Amino acid sequence: MVWKKVGIIVSVVMLSAPSLYAGFQSSDSPVYSTTTGRTSLGTFSAAETIRVTATIATLFDLSVEVVGGGEALDFGEVGVGENPSRKELVIAMKTNLRRPYQITQESFSPLQNESGVVIPEERFTCVTYGYTGNQTQGDLGAKEPTPVSQRPLVLFLSDKIGNGDYFTVGYDLIPLKDQQAGEYSTVLTFTATLL
């Protein structure tokens, strides 16, 4: 009878032993209090999420520059029977839209003087070619001398993914031998359009 009581007491002590060690930690591990007791670092974890955003600005920038400087395609004073030297523009497109585009040119009117006398379209022409040292990635239009007119003329068609590019347009003027004196002018418009 006495042995049975001792056995029961030992059993009760053994069953309660795990709870005695629940808060025990090694000396090199920090201890944190939790609602379920004390535990070592790493037993519990928590997580939060936060969105990260950034907006890349749209770039679709067309620039036209006169070779040699200036703000006008100026052939200067032309003597009777003379053909002025070729004038050039460099046209550049910068874009990050990754879409194909085209660049067109159109004239506001024929080259005309203050009296309304015009230089015939076929005597004011343009031709496109790659800029020196540049491997143009798109397709050039007007590879042969083409009259400058009020009808839109495709000068450039980008590659399929719309990479930025640049090229040169050369302009030639051949006035009539009896062209009336005066200052002749017009305005050229260049337009880049997504396809």
Side-chain angles (χ1 to χ4, degrees):
M1 190 77 172
V2 172
W3 286 107
K4 287 184 180 179
K5 287 183 182 178
V6 172
I8 293 171
I9 293 172
V10 171
S11 295
V12 170
V13 170
M14 294 299 287
L15 290 173
S16 63
S19 61
L20 295 175
Y21 289 96
F24 176 81
Q25 302 297 321
S26 65
S27 60
D28 59 352
S29 176
V31 176
Y32 295 94
S33 295
T34 67
T35 56
T36 58
R38 296 161 67 93
T39 182
S40 64
L41 181 66
T43 300
F44 293 95
S45 66
E48 288 287 342
T49 59
I50 188 166
R51 287 196 328 135
V52 177
T53 65
T55 302
I56 307 301
T58 298
L59 178 63
F60 195 67
D61 183 37
L62 177 68
S63 66
V64 180
E65 294 183 11
V66 178
V67 173
E71 296 182 1
L73 201 62
D74 187 2
F75 287 96
E77 188 172 315
V78 181
V80 176
E82 291 181 355
N83 299 336
S85 60
R86 174 174 284 179
K87 299 299 177 183
E88 295 178 326
L89 297 176
V90 173
I91 299 178
M93 186 67 194
K94 294 179 181 177
T95 178
N96 63 355
L97 297 180
R98 298 292 183 182
R99 288 180 55 189
Y101 60 90
Q102 69 179 16
I103 298 173
T104 59
Q105 165 194 278
E106 56 188 303
S107 176
F108 178 74
S109 68
L111 269 172
Q112 59 185 6
N113 68 9
E114 57 276 5
S115 301
V117 177
V118 303
I119 294 176
E121 275 186 6
E122 66 274 9
R123 292 186 167 262
F124 179 37
T125 61
C126 68
V127 63
T128 60
Y129 38 92
Y131 188 75
T132 304
N134 177 45
Q135 290 290 338
T136 303
Q137 299 176 65
D139 293 324
L140 294 171
K143 293 180 183 178
E144 300 295 328
T146 305
V148 175
S149 73
Q150 294 170 264
R151 296 178 301 278
L153 172 66
V154 176
L155 297 178
F156 180 79
L157 182 62
S158 77
D159 59 10
K160 292 180 181 179
I161 60 171
N163 280 310
D165 217 328
Y166 58 100
F167 60 97
T168 303
V169 188
Y171 294 86
D172 294 304
L173 179 63
I174 307 173
L176 297 170
K177 290 182 180 178
D178 60 349
Q179 193 75 50
Q180 182 179 331
E183 181 178 293
Y184 291 76
S185 65
T186 188
V187 174
L188 299 180
T189 300
F190 301 90
T191 306
T193 308
L194 289 172
L195 299 177

